[in-house]
């Protein structure tokens, strides 16, 4: 009972609205009864005064009170106002009496009011006088309860009041039910969607239309979460597929070569063994690079950042790598504005980035070609460019070269030994350093890889 948010909200709304309706009804009822009683008192006072005026007027005209002038008034006031009179002259003789009518109407039991005494049952005695001379007295009996017309009025008023209270209660129940259902519907749908997600159904998308703003925000975040899970799931599948694909070729080559040795079809000459070893090393490299990529793509990749003066760093790198260029007959140049361009970076990772780019430039540039390493100082950034006059990258390959296992020219790259992971690692490491990498290339003309890192301003210290 009342375990769901819907029923709890409904209960809360109902408690508020029912207590509101009950309190309002009670206040209206008490208020109306009080003002009605006040109204009745004022009216009775007026009626009594009217009676006194008529009697005194009669005395002035005729010199005595007969009670004839008020015969019909006595009857009328008894019936409609619950006022009954005994009229006495100055000698105490009873001239007119409407209290018998009261007995006939069975109202004696209800008699009451201020000043009522047990002996007389009178509620008030009003002396009659003309020009200061007493001419008699008027004894008024007031029936405590309401006379019929008044009872009917109050009765029908209470009926309408309770009826409207009932209608208000029903309406408030319906509205509370609808409102609490509306409020919780988004949460319910969200709960169902999360259950779907748990069952690996990533095709759930919610619409927050018509729900409160907070709920819409929550649904929006949920949809973003679903998209990101979807993307992760797609990447995971692609990755497994790619990996299986990449492993298949060297494994099947290795298998057929080893089977050929085993069955005596092939002589295990040193050249053939070297070829087999080459395939094996390709597998080893694949696994190593996969490991590197997984590490580089880890969002929590620990970076041992230090302040690195890029001119100093790149000069060392150039000295280290130049012999490889000489060996292939590719010229290698380095251009720099000199000292003073520094970034925060992990030295080993930065070395890995540069080695990958420079090795690629060397790999894809034929002898007689030229590779240039350029350091530039931009406003808030340090820019490093690796430019070559090599084979270049075709327009359709260009957008994909940072994707893992993507190789421009498959047959060529299998020959050159490329696995297609190097640039994915470079990109992941650059991103981990809050940098950017851009590539521009024209097939046959060469390629330019441009790295940008946030630079350290002259005074900055960290
Ligand atoms: P690989 O191990 O195959 O070199 P990379 O991820 O380093 O893998 O590069 C992906 C692809 O990008 C390469 O197969 C190649 O086609 C292309 N590429 C990278 N660098 C260059 C370059 N300097 N010149 C021409 N093509 C390049």
């Amino acid at each position: 009972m009342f375990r769901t948010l819907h029923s709890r909200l409904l209960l809360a709304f109902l408690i508020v609205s029912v207590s509101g309706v009950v309190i309002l009804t009670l206040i209206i009822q008490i208020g109306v009864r009080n003002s009605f009683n006040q109204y009745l008192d004022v009216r009775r006072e007026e009626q009594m005064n009217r009676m006194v005026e008529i009697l005194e007027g009669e005395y002035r005209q005729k010199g005595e009170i007969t009670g004839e002038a008020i015969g019909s008034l006595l009857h009328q006031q008894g019936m409609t106002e619950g006022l009954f009179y005994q009229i006495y002259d100055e000698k105490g003789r009873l001239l007119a009496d409407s209290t018998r009518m009261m007995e006939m109407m069975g109202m004696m039991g209800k008699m009451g009011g201020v000043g009522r005494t047990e002996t007389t049952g009178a509620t008030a005695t009003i002396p009659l006088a003309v020009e200061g001379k007493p001419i008699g007295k008027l004894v008024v009996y007031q029936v405590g309860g309401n006379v019929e017309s008044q009872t009917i009025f109050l009765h029908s008023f209470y009926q309408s009041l309770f009826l409207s209270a009932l209608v208000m209660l029903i309406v408030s129940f319906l509205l509370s039910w609808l409102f609490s259902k509306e409020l919780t519907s988004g949460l319910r749908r969200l709960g169902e969607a999360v259950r779907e997600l748990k069952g690996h159904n990533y095709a759930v998308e919610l619409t927050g239309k018509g729900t409160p703003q907070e709920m819409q925000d929550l649904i929006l975040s949920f949809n973003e979460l679903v998209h990101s899970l979807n993307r992760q799931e797609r990447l995971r599948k692609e990755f497994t597929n790619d990996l299986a694909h990449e492993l298949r070729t060297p494994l099947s080559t290795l298998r057929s070569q080893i089977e050929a040795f085993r069955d005596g079809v092939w002589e295990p000459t040193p050249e053939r063994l070297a070829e087999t070893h080459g395939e094996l090393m390709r597998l080893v490299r694949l696994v190593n690079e996969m490991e590197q990529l997984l590490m580089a793509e880890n969002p929590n990749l620990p970076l041992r950042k230090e302040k690195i003066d890029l001119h100093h760093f790149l000069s060392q790198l150039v000295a280290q790598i130049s012999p490889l260029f000489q060996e292939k007959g590719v010229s290698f140049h380095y251009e720099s504005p000199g000292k003073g361009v520094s970034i925060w970076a992990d030295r080993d990772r930065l070395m890995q980035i540069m080695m990958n780019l420079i090795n690629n430039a060397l790999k894809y540039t034929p002898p007689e070609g030229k590779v240039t390493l350029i350091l530039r100082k931009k406003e808030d950034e340090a820019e490093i460019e690796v430019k070559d006059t090599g084979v270049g990258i075709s327009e359709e390959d260009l957008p994909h070269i940072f994707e893992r296992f993507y190789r421009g020219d498959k047959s060529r790259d299998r020959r050159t030994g490329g696995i297609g992971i190097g640039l994915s690692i470079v990109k992941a490491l650059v991103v981990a350093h809050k940098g950017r990498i851009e590539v521009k290339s024209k097939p046959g003309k060469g390629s330019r890889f441009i790295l940008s890192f946030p630079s350290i301003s002259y005074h900055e210290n960290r």
Side-chain angles (χ1 to χ4, degrees):
M1 194 69 172
F2 300 120
R3 275 180 48 216
T4 62
L5 185 59
H6 179 202
S7 55
R8 283 185 190 189
L9 276 176
L10 180 64
L11 182 70
F13 288 145
L14 275 181
I15 289 175
V16 172
S17 51
V18 167
S19 45
V21 168
V22 169
I23 290 170
L24 198 70
T25 311
L26 281 177
I27 289 174
I28 292 177
Q29 192 195 356
I30 293 168
V32 167
R33 203 176 47 212
N34 285 347
S35 6
F36 191 69
N37 282 343
Q38 273 172 10
Y39 161 76
L40 283 183
D41 287 346
V42 172
R43 218 179 120 91
R44 280 173 173 161
E45 189 87 24
E46 281 171 8
Q47 297 296 336
M48 284 188 244
N49 288 342
R50 202 168 142 217
M51 191 66 87
V52 170
E53 271 170 29
I54 292 173
L55 288 172
E56 287 174 351
E58 188 188 21
Y59 187 88
R60 269 194 212 90
Q61 267 186 8
K62 298 183 184 165
E64 61 172 347
I65 308 171
T66 59
E68 283 165 15
I70 42 119
S72 61
L73 200 61
L74 279 180
H75 187 78
Q76 185 206 329
Q77 287 198 11
M79 290 299 285
T80 58
E81 311 294 337
L83 286 175
F84 300 94
Y85 301 91
Q86 282 173 338
I87 300 161
Y88 296 92
D89 66 8
E90 76 274 20
K91 293 198 180 95
R93 278 178 305 197
L94 184 63
L95 300 175
D97 185 3
S98 62
T99 56
R100 258 167 297 160
M101 206 173 115
M102 179 166 66
E103 283 161 33
M104 269 156 49
M105 285 166 69
M107 287 176 171
M108 286 302 276
K110 295 185 196 167
M111 231 163 44
V114 189
R116 174 179 176 227
T117 64
E118 283 303 316
T119 44
T120 60
T123 56
T125 301
I126 305 167
L128 300 170
V130 170
E131 280 130 27
K133 181 180 165 230
I135 57 164
K137 64 178 179 181
L138 191 64
V139 183
V140 189
Y141 293 84
Q142 186 175 319
V143 175
N146 298 310
V147 285
E148 206 179 339
S149 60
Q150 292 147 2
T151 314
I152 288 170
F153 166 77
L154 278 183
H155 186 69
S156 70
F157 172 75
Y158 289 150
Q159 240 179 11
S160 319
L161 187 67
F162 288 125
L163 196 69
S164 44
L166 194 69
V167 171
M168 270 158 71
L169 283 179
I170 292 171
V171 169
S172 68
F173 176 80
L174 284 177
L175 287 181
S176 306
W177 190 79
L178 278 176
F179 192 52
S180 52
K181 194 176 159 64
E182 172 75 27
L183 266 182
T184 52
S185 79
L187 276 179
R188 212 177 38 250
R189 279 188 291 141
L190 206 62
E192 282 162 13
V194 169
R195 270 193 293 282
E196 286 283 312
L197 212 57
K198 232 172 88 185
H200 296 280
N201 174 13
Y202 297 106
V204 281
E205 176 140 15
L206 295 175
T207 51
K209 236 171 110 183
T211 54
Q213 188 58 50
E214 291 84 347
M215 202 63 229
Q216 283 185 21
D217 293 345
L218 192 61
I219 285 177
L220 199 74
S221 308
F222 175 79
N223 284 342
E224 277 167 12
L225 176 75
V226 172
H227 286 157
S228 125
L229 283 175
N230 246 325
R231 207 169 50 242
Q232 294 293 330
E233 180 68 6
R234 207 186 58 239
L235 284 177
R236 193 182 63 79
K237 280 186 184 150
E238 275 174 17
F239 187 77
T240 321
N241 254 338
D242 290 347
L243 189 63
H245 181 79
E246 290 302 315
L247 287 172
R248 195 171 296 124
T249 322
L251 276 178
S252 61
T253 315
L254 266 177
R255 184 184 162 189
S256 57
Q257 288 177 349
I258 290 170
E259 280 174 1
F261 291 141
R262 184 195 62 190
D263 301 341
V265 180
W266 259 19
E267 274 291 306
T269 60
E271 296 79 42
R272 283 178 180 154
L273 280 174
E275 203 181 313
T276 308
H277 183 255
E279 281 301 332
L280 192 69
M281 284 320 287
R282 190 176 155 79
L283 267 180
V284 171
R285 222 176 54 239
L286 178 68
V287 173
N288 283 345
E289 290 199 17
M290 287 298 305
E291 219 170 45
Q292 292 281 326
L293 178 62
L294 280 178
M295 182 262 315
E297 284 184 343
N298 173 11
N300 301 319
L301 170 71
L303 291 174
R304 280 196 310 266
K305 282 192 180 176
E306 57 183 298
K307 187 175 175 179
I308 294 178
D309 180 273
L310 286 176
H311 174 68
H312 184 66
F313 176 84
L314 293 177
S315 303
Q316 282 183 336
L317 179 68
V318 170
Q320 210 179 315
I321 212 165
S322 286
L324 290 177
F325 283 83
Q326 278 167 7
E327 216 173 277
K328 196 179 170 183
V330 175
S331 65
F332 188 35
H333 301 269
Y334 172 49
E335 296 170 12
S336 151
K339 280 184 181 258
V341 190
S342 305
I343 61 169
W344 288 112
D346 184 316
R347 189 173 286 274
D348 294 341
R349 306 287 174 221
L350 189 62
M351 183 61 92
Q352 203 176 351
I353 294 171
M354 294 315 302
M355 278 303 210
N356 256 304
L357 292 178
I358 296 173
N359 269 327
N360 270 355
L362 178 63
K363 192 159 65 176
Y364 297 107
T365 305
E368 311 295 313
K370 181 178 165 189
V371 172
T372 318
L373 177 65
I374 310 161
L375 173 64
R376 285 190 204 97
K377 187 177 167 55
K378 291 280 165 99
E379 202 174 329
D380 300 319
E381 286 183 331
E383 207 175 82
I384 306 170
E385 180 173 339
V386 181
K387 188 164 87 174
D388 65 56
T389 58
V391 293
I393 304 162
S394 71
E395 216 171 302
E396 64 263 27
D397 285 338
L398 211 52
H400 305 289
I401 57 161
F402 293 108
E403 291 171 13
R404 61 185 155 221
F405 301 123
Y406 194 87
R407 290 190 294 257
D409 178 343
K410 302 268 161 13
S411 57
R412 184 191 75 203
D413 279 300
R414 234 187 110 55
R415 257 183 288 116
T416 52
I419 296 167
I421 297 183
L423 285 182
S424 316
I425 297 175
V426 167
K427 172 125 193 207
L429 289 177
V430 169
V431 169
H433 279 86
K434 300 193 170 49
R436 284 176 289 126
I437 182 162
E438 242 184 297
V439 57
K440 291 172 183 166
S441 184
K442 277 213 171 77
K445 292 257 189 265
S447 315
R448 293 170 63 200
F449 285 85
I450 302 155
L451 295 169
S452 311
F453 293 105
S455 64
I456 304 175
S457 63
Y458 188 72
H459 297 289
E460 191 180 345
N461 264 315
R462 231 179 67 183

